[in-house]
Amino acid sequence: MGRPRIKDVAEYAGVSAKTVSNVLNDYEHVSERTRTAVREAIDALGYRVNIAGRQLRRGRTGMIALAVPDLDVAYFAELARHVMAETERRGSTTLLVETGGRHEKELAAVRGFDAQFTDGVILSPLALQPRDLADRDTRLPLVLLGECNLPGSADHVAIDNVTAAREATEHLLSRGRRRIAVIGGDLHGSRNTSRLRTVGHQEALAAAGVALPDELVLPVPAFRWADGAAATRILMRLPERPDAMLCLNDHLALGAVRALHEDGWSVPKDLDVVGFDDIEATRFSIPTVTTVAPDKRGIARRAVELLLDRIDADGPGGPAVDETAGHRLIVRESSGG
Amino acid sequence: MGRPRIKDVAEYAGVSAKTVSNVLNDYEHVSERTRTAVREAIDALGYRVNIAGRQLRRGRTGMIALAVPDLDVAYFAELARHVMAETERRGSTTLLVETGGRHEKELAAVRGFDAQFTDGVILSPLALQPRDLADRDTRLPLVLLGECNLPGSADHVAIDNVTAAREATEHLLSRGRRRIAVIGGDLHGSRNTSRLRTVGHQEALAAAGVALPDELVLPVPAFRWADGAAATRILMRLPERPDAMLCLNDHLALGAVRALHEDGWSVPKDLDVVGFDDIEATRFSIPTVTTVAPDKRGIARRAVELLLDRIDADGPGGPAVDETAGHRLIVRESSGG
DNA sequence: CCACACGATTACATCGATGTAAATGGCGGC
DNA sequence: GCCGCCATTTACATCGATGTAATCGTGTGG
């Protein structure tokens, strides 16, 4: 025999299917007697609602999707945990999807994955273009995470990347560093996080009257250990070497630290290294790594809140919201902390 | 207007709804003319199947769940990537769920999460008990990952933990180590990975005629950096200190390396450290960390294969399968590599 | 004692897609 | 010219849950 259906529960309890449904949905006008009878029937038969039937009727699944570029990047894994914890607290389920930063996958996320099995989407985009959002179906609530110059069309939560980078660079300047390279930096590329953080870096240098030669801004193919290590080797071969590395995430920073170690440089004696994201590894690496810590829990909480509110509103709702989450610089051994 | 339904497509194309459905499902006997007409209608209207309707009718969602204890543990994040890649390749979608190793959540996973939105479940259990599987509903295919003495009732993929641990310890013995502690080890606890790996360790020591004092087998509350560091401090305060640490995952190993560094010990000069899992961090830490590398891709591939086969079989299928995935010891700096 | 309100319950239609079985129509063979 | 075959297409019922609106029954005020 198949799984029990609501009809089976109804028969067992001697009521109608609709009454069982009413009990399941905490409908007000159900007598205590029937309510317990139905509950007993549910327990006895081991009944569980079929989400497909419910969704078909209600148009909601109770599930949201979180789409991130790469779960191997610890920041996203940590963020995902927070998002999951938050949605669970609010009675929803999170479907986690990896986009690999590929444009087609991010587009699929914006569109609700071809199958509408989610009530809404939280997306941390890398490759998304403004026009991808221009004609999107606004019936599917969407919250974007992290930097992206995609104004107006979707809610958005991010830290103030310019300020964060400026503070990181100010910290390095205050330690006497002057040739500060930006690993993962890029002033003209499409990756907005890179651009904004590089701008912040520039601002800090400009305010201090320090030059930023082009060769010290080094884009990377991906934000992983190996890329940080490779970039470091390139930078250290420059005629005039850098005396600090501002790495746009912690994996790059850890890769830089490793590469410097292999080539016999000491961090922080010879060079300082700073990262972004405050992943757990930076608190246990040798040396521990100074990093800009975004308020991950705050980001997750706010994103989920925005999304679920839109879902509950069940309509276009208000205009898109743009929220700034907090961050702070945590100074550790890699820059003398 | 709401999203287009199959009926809208049918009207637009001038055919019946069932014909559209036939096109969607690649039914053989559809004329080329109708097929293109329907395809055009689908494109024109931007139609996408409603998974709820489909599931209701077919009883399948095309989604499977992967439930792991903790995404912060890089091994699970890496494994999840492989599982996702594999299911995607085979046309399914993976729903990722974090259990936190909590018994109630693992039980929910075994039961299909109260809502049957998945066709099957891949679960990496920590707290599951044999009796949790005894009366499970075998209509929901289930594949278990990692060690768990839960015989017979579900498919199972894992590496040979006893052998893997034995090899790791043999490696340490061959380097002259004799007082080898096991961080995360536990001969009598409920965590099977701990038990089996400790047994393997014991076997290697016994074969070499080396004693294993109880105090060198140290259970930990969780398998994270901080736990490895804490355990290390305890062990290094013993009257007779260990000369090597066999850590039952890489996070513990990295925590141990850090704690040893803080207390002025040199790895691998004073002590060797070995981990399990081959997470990316072990290839970039200072020192890089020797580790037992499970064939993650192989595990993921086989698990997905087993699960999807059971789903396709659409019945109890054959008896539960128990598969062993490959592993190899990768010697790195932390033990002289 | 009746009309009426209101709480509790139910019959029925419906959400969207697809399996079943039957209808349609073109073609070759006798 | 009729029959039967087969490719193609369709009508209809169905999956499970729930919204709508109607029904039932009890208690209350006039």
Side-chain angles (χ1 to χ4, degrees), chain B residues 240-272:
Chain B
E240 207 178 337
R241 283 190 299 267
D243 56 12
M245 307 284 194
L246 179 66
C247 303
L248 297 198
N249 87 351
D250 286 338
H251 291 282
L252 293 175
L254 291 165
V257 166
R258 173 71 205 179
L260 291 169
H261 168 81
E262 283 179 12
D263 293 351
W265 303 100
S266 161
V267 175
K269 210 188 306 160
D270 301 323
L271 295 91
D272 285 351

Short mmCIF file of all heavy atoms in Angstrom, two decimals, chain B residues 240-272:
data_model
loop_
_atom_site.label_atom_id
_atom_site.label_comp_id
_atom_site.label_asym_id
_atom_site.label_seq_id
_atom_site.Cartn_x
_atom_site.Cartn_y
_atom_site.Cartn_z
N GLU B 240 54.28 11.89 29.81
CA GLU B 240 55.08 11.39 28.68
C GLU B 240 54.39 11.84 27.40
O GLU B 240 53.34 11.33 27.04
CB GLU B 240 55.17 9.86 28.74
CG GLU B 240 56.42 9.32 28.08
CD GLU B 240 56.47 7.79 28.22
OE1 GLU B 240 55.83 7.27 29.14
OE2 GLU B 240 57.10 7.14 27.38
N ARG B 241 54.98 12.79 26.72
CA ARG B 241 54.31 13.42 25.59
C ARG B 241 54.27 12.52 24.37
O ARG B 241 55.15 11.69 24.17
CB ARG B 241 55.04 14.70 25.21
CG ARG B 241 54.77 15.87 26.12
CD ARG B 241 55.34 17.13 25.53
NE ARG B 241 56.78 17.02 25.37
CZ ARG B 241 57.67 17.42 26.27
NH1 ARG B 241 57.26 17.97 27.39
NH2 ARG B 241 58.95 17.29 26.05
N PRO B 242 53.26 12.71 23.52
CA PRO B 242 53.23 12.00 22.24
C PRO B 242 54.31 12.53 21.30
O PRO B 242 54.78 13.66 21.47
CB PRO B 242 51.84 12.30 21.66
CG PRO B 242 51.25 13.39 22.49
CD PRO B 242 52.06 13.55 23.73
N ASP B 243 54.68 11.72 20.33
CA ASP B 243 55.61 12.21 19.31
C ASP B 243 54.95 12.27 17.93
O ASP B 243 55.60 12.55 16.93
CB ASP B 243 56.88 11.35 19.26
CG ASP B 243 56.59 9.88 19.02
OD1 ASP B 243 55.44 9.54 18.66
OD2 ASP B 243 57.52 9.06 19.18
N ALA B 244 53.64 11.98 17.90
CA ALA B 244 52.89 12.14 16.66
C ALA B 244 51.41 12.22 16.98
O ALA B 244 50.96 11.72 18.01
CB ALA B 244 53.15 10.98 15.71
N MET B 245 50.67 12.87 16.10
CA MET B 245 49.23 13.01 16.28
C MET B 245 48.54 12.45 15.05
O MET B 245 48.72 12.99 13.95
CB MET B 245 48.83 14.48 16.40
CG MET B 245 49.59 15.25 17.46
SD MET B 245 48.98 14.86 19.10
CE MET B 245 49.72 16.21 20.04
N LEU B 246 47.78 11.39 15.25
CA LEU B 246 46.91 10.92 14.18
C LEU B 246 45.55 11.57 14.40
O LEU B 246 44.85 11.25 15.36
CB LEU B 246 46.78 9.39 14.23
CG LEU B 246 45.87 8.78 13.16
CD1 LEU B 246 46.45 8.98 11.77
CD2 LEU B 246 45.67 7.29 13.43
N CYS B 247 45.22 12.51 13.54
CA CYS B 247 43.98 13.28 13.74
C CYS B 247 42.92 12.74 12.79
O CYS B 247 43.18 12.58 11.59
CB CYS B 247 44.23 14.75 13.45
SG CYS B 247 45.55 15.44 14.46
N LEU B 248 41.74 12.50 13.30
CA LEU B 248 40.76 11.76 12.49
C LEU B 248 40.04 12.62 11.46
O LEU B 248 39.21 12.09 10.72
CB LEU B 248 39.79 11.00 13.39
CG LEU B 248 40.48 9.93 14.24
CD1 LEU B 248 39.49 8.92 14.77
CD2 LEU B 248 41.58 9.20 13.46
N ASN B 249 40.33 13.91 11.40
CA ASN B 249 40.06 14.63 10.16
C ASN B 249 41.02 15.79 10.03
O ASN B 249 41.82 16.07 10.94
CB ASN B 249 38.58 15.02 10.02
CG ASN B 249 38.23 16.34 10.66
OD1 ASN B 249 39.03 16.94 11.39
ND2 ASN B 249 37.01 16.77 10.42
N ASP B 250 40.98 16.45 8.90
CA ASP B 250 41.98 17.48 8.63
C ASP B 250 41.81 18.73 9.48
O ASP B 250 42.78 19.41 9.80
CB ASP B 250 41.94 17.86 7.14
CG ASP B 250 42.55 16.78 6.26
OD1 ASP B 250 43.34 15.98 6.77
OD2 ASP B 250 42.22 16.74 5.06
N HIS B 251 40.58 19.05 9.82
CA HIS B 251 40.38 20.22 10.67
C HIS B 251 41.07 20.01 12.02
O HIS B 251 41.74 20.90 12.53
CB HIS B 251 38.89 20.49 10.87
CG HIS B 251 38.20 20.97 9.65
ND1 HIS B 251 38.29 22.25 9.19
CD2 HIS B 251 37.41 20.32 8.77
CE1 HIS B 251 37.57 22.39 8.09
NE2 HIS B 251 37.03 21.22 7.81
N LEU B 252 40.89 18.83 12.58
CA LEU B 252 41.57 18.52 13.83
C LEU B 252 43.07 18.64 13.64
O LEU B 252 43.78 19.19 14.49
CB LEU B 252 41.21 17.10 14.28
CG LEU B 252 39.76 16.85 14.71
CD1 LEU B 252 39.54 15.36 15.00
CD2 LEU B 252 39.40 17.68 15.94
N ALA B 253 43.56 18.13 12.52
CA ALA B 253 45.00 18.16 12.27
C ALA B 253 45.50 19.60 12.17
O ALA B 253 46.54 19.96 12.74
CB ALA B 253 45.32 17.40 10.98
N LEU B 254 44.75 20.43 11.46
CA LEU B 254 45.17 21.82 11.30
C LEU B 254 45.12 22.54 12.65
O LEU B 254 45.98 23.38 12.95
CB LEU B 254 44.27 22.52 10.29
CG LEU B 254 44.48 22.03 8.84
CD1 LEU B 254 43.32 22.46 7.95
CD2 LEU B 254 45.80 22.53 8.29
N GLY B 255 44.13 22.20 13.46
CA GLY B 255 44.06 22.77 14.81
C GLY B 255 45.25 22.32 15.64
O GLY B 255 45.83 23.11 16.40
N ALA B 256 45.62 21.06 15.48
CA ALA B 256 46.76 20.52 16.23
C ALA B 256 48.04 21.24 15.81
O ALA B 256 48.84 21.66 16.66
CB ALA B 256 46.88 19.02 15.98
N VAL B 257 48.21 21.39 14.51
CA VAL B 257 49.41 22.07 14.00
C VAL B 257 49.50 23.47 14.58
O VAL B 257 50.56 23.91 15.05
CB VAL B 257 49.38 22.12 12.46
CG1 VAL B 257 50.41 23.10 11.94
CG2 VAL B 257 49.61 20.73 11.88
N ARG B 258 48.37 24.14 14.59
CA ARG B 258 48.36 25.50 15.12
C ARG B 258 48.71 25.53 16.61
O ARG B 258 49.53 26.34 17.06
CB ARG B 258 46.98 26.13 14.90
CG ARG B 258 46.77 27.48 15.55
CD ARG B 258 47.55 28.58 14.85
NE ARG B 258 47.81 29.69 15.77
CZ ARG B 258 48.50 30.79 15.44
NH1 ARG B 258 48.99 30.92 14.23
NH2 ARG B 258 48.71 31.73 16.31
N ALA B 259 48.11 24.64 17.37
CA ALA B 259 48.36 24.62 18.81
C ALA B 259 49.82 24.30 19.09
O ALA B 259 50.46 24.91 19.96
CB ALA B 259 47.46 23.60 19.49
N LEU B 260 50.38 23.36 18.35
CA LEU B 260 51.79 23.01 18.53
C LEU B 260 52.68 24.21 18.22
O LEU B 260 53.62 24.52 18.95
CB LEU B 260 52.16 21.82 17.63
CG LEU B 260 51.52 20.49 18.04
CD1 LEU B 260 51.72 19.43 16.97
CD2 LEU B 260 52.10 20.01 19.38
N HIS B 261 52.33 24.88 17.14
CA HIS B 261 53.08 26.08 16.76
C HIS B 261 53.05 27.13 17.88
O HIS B 261 54.08 27.69 18.24
CB HIS B 261 52.49 26.67 15.48
CG HIS B 261 52.99 28.04 15.15
ND1 HIS B 261 54.19 28.26 14.51
CD2 HIS B 261 52.44 29.26 15.37
CE1 HIS B 261 54.37 29.56 14.35
NE2 HIS B 261 53.33 30.19 14.86
N GLU B 262 51.88 27.35 18.42
CA GLU B 262 51.75 28.37 19.48
C GLU B 262 52.59 28.02 20.69
O GLU B 262 53.09 28.91 21.38
CB GLU B 262 50.27 28.53 19.89
CG GLU B 262 49.48 29.34 18.87
CD GLU B 262 48.02 29.48 19.25
OE1 GLU B 262 47.65 29.15 20.40
OE2 GLU B 262 47.23 29.91 18.39
N ASP B 263 52.70 26.74 20.97
CA ASP B 263 53.46 26.33 22.14
C ASP B 263 54.93 26.08 21.83
O ASP B 263 55.66 25.54 22.67
CB ASP B 263 52.82 25.08 22.76
CG ASP B 263 51.45 25.41 23.35
OD1 ASP B 263 51.11 26.61 23.41
OD2 ASP B 263 50.72 24.47 23.73
N GLY B 264 55.31 26.45 20.62
CA GLY B 264 56.74 26.41 20.30
C GLY B 264 57.26 25.08 19.79
O GLY B 264 58.47 24.88 19.72
N TRP B 265 56.40 24.14 19.47
CA TRP B 265 56.87 22.87 18.91
C TRP B 265 56.96 22.98 17.40
O TRP B 265 56.20 23.71 16.77
CB TRP B 265 55.90 21.74 19.26
CG TRP B 265 55.70 21.57 20.72
CD1 TRP B 265 54.65 22.02 21.46
CD2 TRP B 265 56.58 20.92 21.63
NE1 TRP B 265 54.81 21.69 22.77
CE2 TRP B 265 55.99 21.01 22.91
CE3 TRP B 265 57.81 20.26 21.49
CZ2 TRP B 265 56.58 20.47 24.05
CZ3 TRP B 265 58.40 19.71 22.62
CH2 TRP B 265 57.79 19.82 23.89
N SER B 266 57.86 22.22 16.85
CA SER B 266 58.01 22.25 15.40
C SER B 266 57.44 20.96 14.78
O SER B 266 57.74 19.86 15.24
CB SER B 266 59.50 22.39 15.05
OG SER B 266 59.70 21.98 13.71
N VAL B 267 56.63 21.15 13.77
CA VAL B 267 56.11 20.03 13.00
C VAL B 267 56.79 20.08 11.63
O VAL B 267 56.78 21.14 10.99
CB VAL B 267 54.58 20.15 12.83
CG1 VAL B 267 54.05 19.05 11.91
CG2 VAL B 267 53.88 20.13 14.17
N PRO B 268 57.45 19.05 11.18
CA PRO B 268 57.48 17.69 11.72
C PRO B 268 58.73 17.38 12.55
O PRO B 268 58.99 16.21 12.79
CB PRO B 268 57.51 16.86 10.44
CG PRO B 268 58.33 17.68 9.51
CD PRO B 268 58.06 19.13 9.86
N LYS B 269 59.51 18.39 12.95
CA LYS B 269 60.75 18.04 13.64
C LYS B 269 60.46 17.38 14.99
O LYS B 269 60.94 16.28 15.28
CB LYS B 269 61.64 19.28 13.82
CG LYS B 269 63.11 18.91 13.81
CD LYS B 269 64.02 20.07 14.19
CE LYS B 269 63.83 21.31 13.36
NZ LYS B 269 64.36 22.51 14.06
N ASP B 270 59.62 18.06 15.80
CA ASP B 270 59.33 17.51 17.12
C ASP B 270 58.22 16.45 17.07
O ASP B 270 58.30 15.44 17.77
CB ASP B 270 58.90 18.63 18.07
CG ASP B 270 59.99 19.69 18.21
OD1 ASP B 270 61.17 19.31 18.22
OD2 ASP B 270 59.65 20.88 18.28
N LEU B 271 57.23 16.72 16.30
CA LEU B 271 56.11 15.78 16.19
C LEU B 271 55.65 15.71 14.74
O LEU B 271 55.75 16.69 14.00
CB LEU B 271 54.91 16.23 17.03
CG LEU B 271 54.99 16.30 18.54
CD1 LEU B 271 55.44 17.67 18.96
CD2 LEU B 271 53.63 15.95 19.13
N ASP B 272 55.06 14.59 14.40
CA ASP B 272 54.37 14.46 13.12
C ASP B 272 52.88 14.66 13.32
O ASP B 272 52.34 14.36 14.39
CB ASP B 272 54.57 13.06 12.53
CG ASP B 272 55.98 12.89 11.96
OD1 ASP B 272 56.70 13.90 11.88
OD2 ASP B 272 56.33 11.75 11.61
#
